[in-house]
Amino acid sequence: MAGRASSEGFIARNGLWGDGQEAEAAEILRRVEADGLRLVRLAWVDSHGAVRAKAVTPPALCQALVDGYNINVATSTLDASGGRVFASFTPGGGMGIDEMTGSPNLVLVPDPGTFRTLPWAPGTGWVLGDSYFRDGKPFPFSTRRVLARQRARLAERGWRMLVGIEIEWYLRRIDDDRLGDAEVAHQGRRGRPLATSAVEPGFSYHSETNLDIMQPVFDALADAFAGLGLKLRSLENEFGPGQVECTFAADDAGRAADDAALFRSAARQVCRRLGYAASFICRPAFEGHFASGWHLHQSFVDAATGGNLFMPADGNHALSPLGLSALAGLIEHAGAASAFVTPTVNGYRRFRPNSLAPDRAGWGVDQRGAMMRVIGGAGDPATRLENRAGEPAANPYLYIASQIAAALDGIDRNLAAPAEDLAPYEAERERLPADLDAALGFLDASALFRREFGDPFVDYFLALKRAELGRFRQYGIDRGGHREINQVTEWEQNEYFDFF
C-alpha cells in the first residue's frame, strides 16, 4: 500500500507521538496490506466509557497516520441517551472553552500500539486514538488523558500501577431481534431493549453443567479475546441466571484500561452476532437477578525492578507502610470517587448489607464484605488491594485514575489506615453514597479531584451525570412514579441494558 506512516503532517508538527510510534505506524500499514484488510475502525472511548468508531479505508488510514482523522466533538457533549447537555452553539460551547464553540471537529490521532484485527469481523482492523483540537492542544475532556496524567504522577516517582480486572455481566438469549417503535430511541430517550430470556436457571454457583450450556458462546469469546491479545484468565458462571465473570491477568494501568474498554465492546459484538445479548448493566430488571460488580485489583510497583511496593516486610502487617497509607487515601476519598467507580443510577442498587458488595468504606484481609479487600502478605509479590465497589458500566479510565489520585493523596499525607473491619457490615465507617445524586455531591465538593482532574473536567462530568439524573427524575414525574421490577425501574433498564 502506498504511503508512509509519518511525514510533516499534523502528528509530526505537534510532536504527538513518542519513541517507537512511527515504526509501529509503519507496521500497521504493512499488516493492513498483508492481511488484505478492507476497513479499519478508528476508535475512541467517550466519557461514559463506551467505544465509538469510524470505519475507514486503507488509504484514509494511511493519511490518518500522518494528519489524524476528523471526528465530531458531539460524542463528548451528549449524555448516554444522545441528549444535548451543553449549549454548543454559543461562545465557549456552554463550557467556557473557546475551542468548543459551534460543536467543532476534533482530530483523532491513532495510538499505533493499540492496533488489532477483529477476529469476528473478517477484513477489519481496529486502532484506538486520542483527540486534539485543530491547533494541536489536547482535548481536555478525554478520559484516557485523565488517566495518563495520573500515571505520569506515578512515573515521576519511579512507580507504576498494576491492575487486575474482574468484571461480571449478563448473557441473555435474544428472543426477537426485530426493532419495533418501542425499541427505537429518540434523542434524549433510549428505546426499550430487545426481548431476551435467561440462558440458564442460575443460583447454582460455578455449576459445571450450567457453564456448559453457555460453552458455545464462551468458545467464541475466548477465541475473540485471544485474537485481540486480551489477557483472559477465566470465564466463570456466577450467581445469577446467565451471570458471567471474566477475569484478566494484571497489567500496566494504561493497557488494562484500554483492554477493559475493548473487552466490553468485543463481548457485546461477538454475542450479538450469535443471537445473544451481553449487558454490563449492574442490576438488570429481571426477577431474581443478582447485581454485578467490577472488582479492581491494584498495586504500585517499582518501575525499574518490578518490586511490589504494597508487600509488607513481615507477617505482623497486612501491607507495607506505603500500602497502608494508600489504603487510607482510598477509604478517605471513597465517597467522592464513587461518582467514577459507580457512575450510573442503577449501580447504587448493589450497595446492600450482606450482599457481597460493600455499603461503607472500610477494609479487611481477604474480606469480601469490605470495600477494600487486602490480598497477599509478606513474601507474596502479588500483594494488592481489591476495590469491590465498582460497577461493570464504569469508565475504566476514570475508575483507575480515581484510585491512583486517592492512593497518592494518602501516601503524600502519610495517612493512617483505620483498623481492619472483621464485621464490615456492622463497622462504624462512613457509608458509601446511597445514590448517584449523593455521589455527585461528594465529587462536587472534592478538593482532591478538582485539583487532580481539574475544575473544567469535574464540572463537565458533573453536568453530564446530572443531566442523566434529571432525565431519570423527569421520567418518574411523567409516569406518576417509577414502575419497579426487582427494585429496578423501567427507565434504568431502557437506559443501561443495551448501552453498556
Side-chain angles (χ1 to χ4, degrees):
M1 178 171 55
R4 293 183 300 162
S6 63
S7 71
E8 287 304 313
F10 178 84
I11 295 172
R13 285 197 311 273
N14 292 287
L16 302 182
W17 279 348
D19 294 342
Q21 287 186 291
E22 288 187 8
E24 290 175 332
E27 175 63 14
I28 288 176
L29 297 181
R30 187 198 67 78
R31 288 182 60 186
V32 167
E33 186 167 14
D35 295 345
L37 301 186
R38 298 183 296 274
L39 294 168
V40 174
R41 296 180 188 173
L42 300 182
W44 65 100
V45 180
D46 70 12
S47 301
H48 308 285
V51 179
R52 311 283 183 169
K54 289 190 175 186
V56 303
T57 61
L61 171 67
C62 184
Q63 191 61 41
L65 293 171
V66 175
D67 282 317
Y69 196 86
N70 282 341
I71 62 172
N72 195 303
V73 76
T75 58
S76 296
T77 63
L78 305 175
D79 70 8
S81 71
R84 188 170 295 283
V85 176
F86 302 96
S88 299
F89 308 113
T90 62
M95 302 178 180
I97 298 176
D98 290 342
E99 292 91 344
M100 294 297 292
T101 302
S103 193
N105 278 347
L106 299 174
V107 180
L108 184 71
V109 174
D111 179 347
T114 65
F115 180 80
R116 279 100 155 174
T117 58
L118 300 183
W120 64 89
T124 302
W126 187 93
V127 65
L128 191 61
D130 292 303
S131 299
Y132 296 84
F133 289 121
R134 289 301 311 172
D135 62 2
K137 293 180 182 176
F139 182 56
F141 305 124
S142 163
T143 58
R144 193 172 190 245
R145 189 165 287 112
V146 169
L147 174 57
R149 287 196 295 268
Q150 295 304 308
R151 291 172 60 221
R153 294 180 65 211
L154 290 173
E156 289 171 357
R157 303 166 190 241
W159 302 346
R160 292 191 303 122
M161 184 191 205
L162 288 184
V163 171
I165 288 172
E166 297 178 355
I167 298 183
E168 296 166 344
W169 53 280
Y170 271 96
L171 177 68
R172 302 270 297 178
R173 181 178 288 105
I174 295 174
D175 296 331
D176 186 351
D177 64 0
R178 293 173 296 178
L179 295 173
D181 290 344
E183 287 78 33
V184 174
H186 297 257
Q187 188 174 20
R189 178 177 65 79
R190 298 194 66 81
R192 184 176 65 195
L194 292 171
T196 60
S197 55
V199 295
E200 54 95 12
F203 295 98
S204 293
Y205 191 42
H206 290 334
S207 162
E208 184 182 7
T209 53
N210 287 351
L211 183 149
D212 191 66
I213 293 171
M214 298 185 282
Q215 191 66 48
V217 179
F218 284 7
D219 289 343
L221 290 172
D223 287 346
F225 297 158
L228 294 171
L230 303 182
K231 296 181 179 180
L232 181 71
R233 294 180 66 250
S234 66
L235 280 156
E236 303 174 13
N237 177 22
E238 279 288 320
F239 215 28
Q243 190 177 39
V244 178
E245 182 176 60
C246 289
T247 71
F248 296 87
D251 209 335
D252 178 78
R255 173 65 186 263
D258 286 345
D259 285 357
L262 178 56
F263 149 67
R264 289 190 308 201
S265 188
R268 295 181 69 225
Q269 293 175 59
V270 170
C271 290
R272 186 70 174 83
R273 285 175 176 241
L274 296 173
Y276 293 82
S279 179
F280 292 82
I281 186 174
C282 177
R283 191 178 184 93
F286 302 121
E287 289 292 346
H289 279 53
F290 206 69
S292 294
W294 174 349
H295 304 149
L296 191 78
H297 296 252
Q298 53 192 291
S299 62
F300 291 171
V301 300
D302 185 289
T305 67
N308 189 319
L309 300 175
F310 287 179
M311 185 176 69
D314 57 57
N316 296 321
H317 301 90
L319 294 165
S320 68
L322 184 141
L324 286 169
S325 290
L327 172 62
L330 289 161
I331 290 173
E332 179 167 307
H333 298 291
S338 290
F340 303 123
V341 172
T342 308
T344 74
V345 171
N346 181 261
Y348 292 85
R349 306 289 186 189
R350 181 169 164 262
F351 296 156
R352 300 176 180 181
N354 302 307
S355 65
L356 292 174
D359 67 347
R360 62 201 74 193
W363 71 279
V365 174
D366 204 10
Q367 172 57 265
R368 284 184 165 86
M371 186 188 81
M372 301 302 303
R373 177 186 175 211
V374 176
I375 303 171
D380 186 349
T383 297
R384 61 198 184 274
L385 301 172
E386 177 192 3
N387 190 330
R388 297 179 59 81
E391 69 164 314
N395 180 313
Y397 303 101
L398 296 180
Y399 189 172
I400 296 171
S402 74
Q403 304 300 280
I404 298 175
L408 286 181
D409 187 62
I411 292 169
D412 290 344
R413 293 165 56 205
N414 196 29
L415 293 181
E420 176 186 358
D421 296 327
L422 300 179
Y425 292 113
E426 301 171 12
E428 293 295 326
R429 302 294 180 210
E430 182 178 343
R431 293 295 185 106
L432 293 173
D435 54 32
L436 180 60
D437 188 33
L440 296 178
F442 277 110
L443 175 60
D444 200 355
S446 172
L448 171 70
F449 288 116
R450 286 192 171 278
R451 181 180 75 237
E452 295 302 333
F453 292 8
D455 283 326
F457 182 86
V458 170
D459 290 339
Y460 159 79
F461 184 81
L462 288 170
L464 280 179
K465 300 309 293 184
R466 283 173 171 158
E468 180 179 318
L469 187 59
R471 289 190 296 102
F472 170 66
R473 289 170 170 165
Q474 187 60 49
Y475 186 87
I477 293 170
D478 291 346
R479 301 298 173 97
H482 289 102
R483 179 170 67 86
E484 294 195 354
I485 306 171
N486 195 27
Q487 298 184 319
V488 176
T489 64
E490 184 179 44
W491 183 93
E492 292 165 67
Q493 184 78 350
N494 293 350
E495 179 79 5
Y496 302 123
F497 183 81
D498 194 46
F499 183 70
F500 293 111

mmCIF file of all heavy atoms in Angstrom, residues 356 358 362-375 386 388 420-425:
data_model
loop_
_atom_site.group_PDB
_atom_site.id
_atom_site.type_symbol
_atom_site.label_atom_id
_atom_site.label_comp_id
_atom_site.label_asym_id
_atom_site.label_seq_id
_atom_site.Cartn_x
_atom_site.Cartn_y
_atom_site.Cartn_z
ATOM 1 N N LEU A 356 -22.319 -9.300 49.284
ATOM 2 C CA LEU A 356 -21.040 -9.427 48.580
ATOM 3 C C LEU A 356 -20.616 -8.122 47.929
ATOM 4 O O LEU A 356 -19.652 -8.076 47.180
ATOM 5 C CB LEU A 356 -21.073 -10.551 47.526
ATOM 6 C CG LEU A 356 -21.177 -11.965 48.078
ATOM 7 C CD1 LEU A 356 -21.358 -12.969 46.957
ATOM 8 C CD2 LEU A 356 -19.932 -12.313 48.898
ATOM 9 N N PRO A 358 -20.020 -3.856 49.059
ATOM 10 C CA PRO A 358 -19.879 -3.053 50.261
ATOM 11 C C PRO A 358 -21.009 -2.040 50.405
ATOM 12 O O PRO A 358 -21.673 -1.695 49.432
ATOM 13 C CB PRO A 358 -18.543 -2.335 50.039
ATOM 14 C CG PRO A 358 -18.461 -2.203 48.547
ATOM 15 C CD PRO A 358 -19.082 -3.453 47.993
ATOM 16 N N GLY A 362 -14.586 0.653 54.316
ATOM 17 C CA GLY A 362 -13.678 0.009 55.247
ATOM 18 C C GLY A 362 -12.821 -1.004 54.527
ATOM 19 O O GLY A 362 -12.835 -1.083 53.297
ATOM 20 N N TRP A 363 -12.086 -1.798 55.293
ATOM 21 C CA TRP A 363 -11.207 -2.785 54.672
ATOM 22 C C TRP A 363 -11.081 -4.023 55.556
ATOM 23 O O TRP A 363 -11.386 -3.994 56.745
ATOM 24 C CB TRP A 363 -9.823 -2.201 54.392
ATOM 25 C CG TRP A 363 -8.976 -1.959 55.617
ATOM 26 C CD1 TRP A 363 -9.043 -0.892 56.478
ATOM 27 C CD2 TRP A 363 -7.922 -2.798 56.120
ATOM 28 N NE1 TRP A 363 -8.111 -1.015 57.478
ATOM 29 C CE2 TRP A 363 -7.400 -2.167 57.287
ATOM 30 C CE3 TRP A 363 -7.383 -4.012 55.698
ATOM 31 C CZ2 TRP A 363 -6.370 -2.718 58.028
ATOM 32 C CZ3 TRP A 363 -6.341 -4.578 56.443
ATOM 33 C CH2 TRP A 363 -5.844 -3.923 57.583
ATOM 34 N N GLY A 364 -10.620 -5.099 54.935
ATOM 35 C CA GLY A 364 -10.367 -6.324 55.669
ATOM 36 C C GLY A 364 -9.448 -7.227 54.874
ATOM 37 O O GLY A 364 -9.368 -7.133 53.640
ATOM 38 N N VAL A 365 -8.743 -8.093 55.566
ATOM 39 C CA VAL A 365 -7.860 -9.053 54.910
ATOM 40 C C VAL A 365 -8.698 -10.199 54.359
ATOM 41 O O VAL A 365 -9.410 -10.875 55.109
ATOM 42 C CB VAL A 365 -6.799 -9.583 55.900
ATOM 43 C CG1 VAL A 365 -5.974 -10.690 55.252
ATOM 44 C CG2 VAL A 365 -5.902 -8.448 56.372
ATOM 45 N N ASP A 366 -8.643 -10.377 53.044
ATOM 46 C CA ASP A 366 -9.406 -11.420 52.359
ATOM 47 C C ASP A 366 -10.877 -11.389 52.781
ATOM 48 O O ASP A 366 -11.505 -12.442 52.968
ATOM 49 C CB ASP A 366 -8.799 -12.796 52.622
ATOM 50 C CG ASP A 366 -9.155 -13.805 51.525
ATOM 51 O OD1 ASP A 366 -9.706 -13.374 50.479
ATOM 52 O OD2 ASP A 366 -8.900 -15.001 51.710
ATOM 53 N N GLN A 367 -11.429 -10.190 52.898
ATOM 54 C CA GLN A 367 -12.790 -9.990 53.387
ATOM 55 C C GLN A 367 -13.657 -9.460 52.240
ATOM 56 O O GLN A 367 -13.535 -8.311 51.822
ATOM 57 C CB GLN A 367 -12.765 -8.995 54.559
ATOM 58 C CG GLN A 367 -14.113 -8.518 55.065
ATOM 59 C CD GLN A 367 -15.037 -9.611 55.515
ATOM 60 O OE1 GLN A 367 -15.867 -10.065 54.738
ATOM 61 N NE2 GLN A 367 -14.890 -10.033 56.775
ATOM 62 N N ARG A 368 -14.557 -10.312 51.725
ATOM 63 C CA ARG A 368 -15.365 -9.941 50.568
ATOM 64 C C ARG A 368 -16.540 -9.020 50.910
ATOM 65 O O ARG A 368 -17.237 -8.556 50.013
ATOM 66 C CB ARG A 368 -15.870 -11.199 49.864
ATOM 67 C CG ARG A 368 -14.803 -11.906 49.039
ATOM 68 C CD ARG A 368 -15.372 -13.095 48.277
ATOM 69 N NE ARG A 368 -14.466 -13.558 47.246
ATOM 70 C CZ ARG A 368 -13.473 -14.419 47.437
ATOM 71 N NH1 ARG A 368 -13.247 -14.892 48.670
ATOM 72 N NH2 ARG A 368 -12.694 -14.787 46.446
ATOM 73 N N GLY A 369 -16.773 -8.769 52.196
ATOM 74 C CA GLY A 369 -17.823 -7.832 52.558
ATOM 75 C C GLY A 369 -17.332 -6.406 52.675
ATOM 76 O O GLY A 369 -18.145 -5.479 52.781
ATOM 77 N N ALA A 370 -16.014 -6.207 52.650
ATOM 78 C CA ALA A 370 -15.437 -4.871 52.806
ATOM 79 C C ALA A 370 -15.269 -4.201 51.457
ATOM 80 O O ALA A 370 -15.140 -4.859 50.419
ATOM 81 C CB ALA A 370 -14.087 -4.972 53.511
ATOM 82 N N MET A 371 -15.232 -2.866 51.463
ATOM 83 C CA MET A 371 -14.996 -2.145 50.211
ATOM 84 C C MET A 371 -13.603 -2.447 49.667
ATOM 85 O O MET A 371 -13.437 -2.714 48.477
ATOM 86 C CB MET A 371 -15.136 -0.640 50.438
ATOM 87 C CG MET A 371 -15.036 0.167 49.142
ATOM 88 S SD MET A 371 -14.969 1.954 49.388
ATOM 89 C CE MET A 371 -13.217 2.163 49.789
ATOM 90 N N MET A 372 -12.596 -2.423 50.550
ATOM 91 C CA MET A 372 -11.237 -2.716 50.130
ATOM 92 C C MET A 372 -10.800 -4.039 50.746
ATOM 93 O O MET A 372 -10.702 -4.168 51.972
ATOM 94 C CB MET A 372 -10.279 -1.599 50.555
ATOM 95 C CG MET A 372 -10.612 -0.216 50.018
ATOM 96 S SD MET A 372 -10.694 -0.108 48.197
ATOM 97 C CE MET A 372 -9.065 -0.675 47.720
ATOM 98 N N ARG A 373 -10.578 -5.017 49.904
ATOM 99 C CA ARG A 373 -10.123 -6.342 50.328
ATOM 100 C C ARG A 373 -8.616 -6.418 50.127
ATOM 101 O O ARG A 373 -8.121 -6.183 49.010
ATOM 102 C CB ARG A 373 -10.844 -7.402 49.501
ATOM 103 C CG ARG A 373 -10.419 -8.842 49.773
ATOM 104 C CD ARG A 373 -11.113 -9.753 48.774
ATOM 105 N NE ARG A 373 -10.684 -11.140 48.883
ATOM 106 C CZ ARG A 373 -10.632 -11.990 47.857
ATOM 107 N NH1 ARG A 373 -10.983 -11.585 46.638
ATOM 108 N NH2 ARG A 373 -10.250 -13.238 48.044
ATOM 109 N N VAL A 374 -7.886 -6.728 51.174
ATOM 110 C CA VAL A 374 -6.436 -6.863 51.087
ATOM 111 C C VAL A 374 -6.101 -8.324 50.830
ATOM 112 O O VAL A 374 -6.549 -9.216 51.558
ATOM 113 C CB VAL A 374 -5.760 -6.376 52.385
ATOM 114 C CG1 VAL A 374 -4.258 -6.612 52.322
ATOM 115 C CG2 VAL A 374 -6.060 -4.897 52.615
ATOM 116 N N ILE A 375 -5.299 -8.539 49.795
ATOM 117 C CA ILE A 375 -4.939 -9.899 49.380
ATOM 118 C C ILE A 375 -3.417 -10.008 49.353
ATOM 119 O O ILE A 375 -2.734 -9.122 48.832
ATOM 120 C CB ILE A 375 -5.519 -10.214 47.990
ATOM 121 C CG1 ILE A 375 -7.036 -10.024 47.975
ATOM 122 C CG2 ILE A 375 -5.172 -11.641 47.562
ATOM 123 C CD1 ILE A 375 -7.647 -10.106 46.590
ATOM 124 N N GLU A 386 -8.050 -4.841 46.537
ATOM 125 C CA GLU A 386 -9.168 -5.095 45.631
ATOM 126 C C GLU A 386 -10.313 -4.162 46.014
ATOM 127 O O GLU A 386 -10.876 -4.275 47.105
ATOM 128 C CB GLU A 386 -9.636 -6.549 45.725
ATOM 129 C CG GLU A 386 -10.856 -6.842 44.847
ATOM 130 C CD GLU A 386 -11.496 -8.193 45.157
ATOM 131 O OE1 GLU A 386 -11.029 -8.877 46.101
ATOM 132 O OE2 GLU A 386 -12.462 -8.549 44.469
ATOM 133 N N ARG A 388 -13.988 -3.357 45.738
ATOM 134 C CA ARG A 388 -15.169 -4.140 45.400
ATOM 135 C C ARG A 388 -16.410 -3.264 45.189
ATOM 136 O O ARG A 388 -17.521 -3.779 45.084
ATOM 137 C CB ARG A 388 -15.428 -5.177 46.501
ATOM 138 C CG ARG A 388 -14.295 -6.189 46.628
ATOM 139 C CD ARG A 388 -14.545 -7.210 47.730
ATOM 140 N NE ARG A 388 -15.754 -7.971 47.537
ATOM 141 C CZ ARG A 388 -15.874 -9.039 46.732
ATOM 142 N NH1 ARG A 388 -14.824 -9.455 46.029
ATOM 143 N NH2 ARG A 388 -17.021 -9.688 46.636
ATOM 144 N N GLU A 420 -8.686 -2.731 60.843
ATOM 145 C CA GLU A 420 -9.355 -3.701 59.968
ATOM 146 C C GLU A 420 -10.762 -3.989 60.482
ATOM 147 O O GLU A 420 -11.001 -4.065 61.690
ATOM 148 C CB GLU A 420 -8.546 -4.991 59.935
ATOM 149 C CG GLU A 420 -9.181 -6.099 59.133
ATOM 150 C CD GLU A 420 -8.429 -7.411 59.242
ATOM 151 O OE1 GLU A 420 -7.381 -7.447 59.922
ATOM 152 O OE2 GLU A 420 -8.910 -8.407 58.644
ATOM 153 N N ASP A 421 -11.701 -4.170 59.555
ATOM 154 C CA ASP A 421 -13.087 -4.483 59.909
ATOM 155 C C ASP A 421 -13.310 -5.989 59.804
ATOM 156 O O ASP A 421 -13.310 -6.545 58.700
ATOM 157 C CB ASP A 421 -14.064 -3.743 58.991
ATOM 158 C CG ASP A 421 -13.985 -2.234 59.154
ATOM 159 O OD1 ASP A 421 -13.726 -1.790 60.283
ATOM 160 O OD2 ASP A 421 -14.158 -1.514 58.156
ATOM 161 N N LEU A 422 -13.520 -6.639 60.924
ATOM 162 C CA LEU A 422 -13.783 -8.075 60.914
ATOM 163 C C LEU A 422 -15.247 -8.375 60.618
ATOM 164 O O LEU A 422 -15.583 -9.473 60.171
ATOM 165 C CB LEU A 422 -13.392 -8.674 62.272
ATOM 166 C CG LEU A 422 -11.915 -8.507 62.658
ATOM 167 C CD1 LEU A 422 -11.655 -9.119 64.028
ATOM 168 C CD2 LEU A 422 -11.007 -9.121 61.607
ATOM 169 N N ALA A 423 -16.124 -7.387 60.857
ATOM 170 C CA ALA A 423 -17.553 -7.498 60.528
ATOM 171 C C ALA A 423 -17.918 -6.237 59.745
ATOM 172 O O ALA A 423 -18.494 -5.292 60.299
ATOM 173 C CB ALA A 423 -18.396 -7.635 61.782
ATOM 174 N N PRO A 424 -17.589 -6.187 58.458
ATOM 175 C CA PRO A 424 -17.667 -4.932 57.699
ATOM 176 C C PRO A 424 -19.064 -4.333 57.591
ATOM 177 O O PRO A 424 -19.195 -3.115 57.455
ATOM 178 C CB PRO A 424 -17.117 -5.307 56.327
ATOM 179 C CG PRO A 424 -17.205 -6.788 56.253
ATOM 180 C CD PRO A 424 -17.036 -7.288 57.634
ATOM 181 N N TYR A 425 -20.117 -5.153 57.638
ATOM 182 C CA TYR A 425 -21.467 -4.602 57.521
ATOM 183 C C TYR A 425 -21.997 -4.063 58.857
ATOM 184 O O TYR A 425 -23.094 -3.534 58.918
ATOM 185 C CB TYR A 425 -22.429 -5.661 56.976
ATOM 186 C CG TYR A 425 -22.140 -6.033 55.539
ATOM 187 C CD1 TYR A 425 -21.686 -7.319 55.215
ATOM 188 C CD2 TYR A 425 -22.303 -5.117 54.511
ATOM 189 C CE1 TYR A 425 -21.416 -7.674 53.896
ATOM 190 C CE2 TYR A 425 -22.026 -5.461 53.189
ATOM 191 C CZ TYR A 425 -21.590 -6.725 52.887
ATOM 192 O OH TYR A 425 -21.320 -7.073 51.591
#
